[in-house]
Amino acid sequence: MTDSQVTETRTTAPLPYHAHGLGARALAVLATPGGAVLVLAIALLLATIAANPNFGDPGVLIRFLGRTAPIAIVALGQYYVIVSGEFDLSMGAVIAAQVVIAGNFIGEDESRIIPGLVLMLLLGVGIGVVNGLVTTLLQVPSFITTLAMMLALGGLVDYLSGGAATGNPPDKFREIGRGAIEDVPVVDVIPYPLIILTVLCVAAAWLMRRPFGRTLIAVGDNPDAAAVSGARVWRVKTQAFVLSSLASTVAGILLVGYAGVHPSVGQGYEFMAITAVVLGGVVLGGGRGWVLSAVAGAFALELLFTLLTALEIESTWRDSVQGLIIIAALAVSARAWTLGRGRRTSPPPKTADRPTEPTPGTNIGEN
């Protein structure tokens, strides 16, 4: 190849993806389903402030973020399961069970706060292990497994509580969910749930960049290929279920501070989490989606409900809105991810550009 040919090749070669500017890459990210939810959240925030100007006050806004933190944490847990190709319908029941156990075991005895927290975390791990092993080793669809777990825990909650509110734990325990750092400039307070959510988001972003996160996405995309490459599919999916149950446990601890001990606490959280995750662009069926977009989906969903309330639309429409969001998000995200994959796939080399076989008896070929 002559020098002029080398110069021409270097001039006409396309720029690699990472060579584009920061603005272009930011726009490319916002054009994906996972990035579009950020635009949606900002649009809903502006619409809510327009409908209710008081919502734009920094103090009101920071308290809204604190109230939404338990839902975002549940969405975070549901993300691990969905991106691995499964469902977890037991999250709401896990929250209710943890809330009732907090009321029955801890009661008003402050000396039982630490043992109670340990018991709740162990119960969360145990539920996740059972869900994971039944789904992976016994090959029971996760939809059936977690539905059965939801019913079983619902019966346990009714037995322990009698179907009515029971005693609340001491204020030191409830302070985890309703407490805040006070006298903060501009926003006045920073709720503890928001701090806990921030820590969990940082941990989740770090975890998804580790081998576990990459393996989790690979298992959700193609479990057979992941197994052939050496991944232990059953163990990775079981760990996802454990993380989901632990997220529900943390949400239950926070909700005790807000709502007290009642068997209805956590009701419907599993569907809200699924809605938030798909709204964040995570594909049902697994293999694609960003963990922080799932959290952004939770905030977008709550902003939508807040906007509906500001517009004086009856709360009975919430379930209908959730259903429509799931249908629309599924259709849009599946189409967008398909187009995105098509753009990333390089076209096959032209026949004339393919390297030729060396002439027999020589080592000469064209490249």
Side-chain angles (χ1 to χ4, degrees):
M1 184 178 291
T2 65
D3 292 343
S4 61
Q5 288 174 315
V6 172
T7 303
E8 183 179 357
T9 303
R10 288 175 178 172
T11 303
T12 58
L15 288 172
Y17 178 77
H18 58 76
H20 292 291
L22 181 61
R25 278 184 284 168
L27 290 176
V29 170
L30 292 178
T32 64
V37 70
L38 299 175
V39 179
L40 176 64
I42 294 173
L44 288 171
L45 175 62
L46 295 177
T48 305
I49 293 174
N52 178 15
N54 291 332
F55 194 75
D57 184 81
V60 175
L61 194 57
I62 198 73
R63 286 181 173 82
F64 164 80
L65 296 176
R67 289 196 308 272
T68 308
I71 301 173
I73 291 172
V74 176
L76 200 62
Q78 187 70 256
Y79 165 83
Y80 294 114
V81 178
I82 288 181
V83 85
S84 73
E86 305 293 346
F87 282 100
D88 189 353
L89 298 181
S90 65
M91 300 190 80
V94 173
I95 293 174
Q98 299 287 19
V99 167
V100 171
I101 286 174
N104 282 268
F105 180 80
I106 299 176
E108 298 182 355
D109 189 353
E110 292 187 0
S111 65
R112 287 193 170 191
I113 291 179
I114 299 300
L117 288 173
V118 173
L119 174 64
M120 295 167 75
L121 292 173
L122 290 177
L123 180 63
V125 172
I127 293 171
V129 169
V130 171
N131 282 339
L133 294 183
V134 171
T135 300
T136 56
L137 298 185
L138 300 183
Q139 298 293 308
V140 178
S142 58
F143 176 82
I144 302 299
T145 301
T146 55
L147 180 64
M149 181 61 75
M150 180 180 72
L151 296 173
L153 292 176
L156 175 65
V157 168
D158 289 340
Y159 172 76
L160 293 176
S161 66
T166 56
N168 288 325
D171 288 341
K172 281 189 177 180
F173 182 86
R174 301 188 68 181
E175 194 70 8
I176 302 173
R178 62 182 180 183
I181 299 176
E182 299 181 351
D183 300 327
V184 178
V186 181
V187 294
D188 190 29
V189 297
I190 298 180
Y192 291 155
L194 186 58
I195 297 173
I196 294 173
L197 171 64
T198 303
V199 172
L200 293 180
C201 285
V202 172
W206 175 82
L207 188 61
M208 293 308 296
R209 289 180 178 273
R210 304 296 299 167
F212 168 76
R214 299 190 186 100
T215 306
L216 189 68
I217 292 178
V219 166
D221 187 40
N222 191 330
D224 294 333
V228 170
S229 64
R232 295 182 179 180
V233 176
W234 69 269
R235 188 171 69 178
V236 174
K237 288 194 174 187
T238 300
Q239 290 171 335
F241 278 105
V242 170
L243 291 173
S244 174
S245 291
L246 286 176
S248 302
T249 300
V250 174
I253 294 171
L254 299 179
L255 288 171
V256 170
Y258 275 113
V261 177
H262 194 280
S264 66
V265 174
Q267 190 173 19
Y269 266 60
E270 63 278 358
F271 297 114
M272 292 185 67
I274 293 173
T275 307
V277 170
V278 298
L279 193 60
V282 181
V283 176
L284 290 180
R288 288 182 289 279
W290 300 331
V291 61
L292 298 184
S293 294
V295 177
F299 284 109
L301 184 65
E302 278 303 297
L303 281 169
L304 176 60
F305 291 148
T306 305
L307 176 61
L308 295 179
T309 303
L311 296 176
E312 299 182 351
I313 296 176
E314 295 183 7
S315 60
T316 51
W317 285 101
R318 290 173 60 122
D319 291 343
S320 300
V321 171
Q322 279 187 236
L324 292 174
I325 287 174
I326 292 176
I327 295 173
L330 281 175
V332 172
S333 64
R335 180 64 177 166
W337 279 110
T338 301
L339 292 175
R341 170 172 285 188
R343 284 196 295 269
R344 289 195 301 269
T345 303
S346 302
K350 297 179 181 178
T351 304
D353 297 336
R354 292 176 182 170
T356 59
E357 295 293 333
T359 303
T362 70
N363 58 356
I364 300 174
E366 297 180 1
N367 192 4

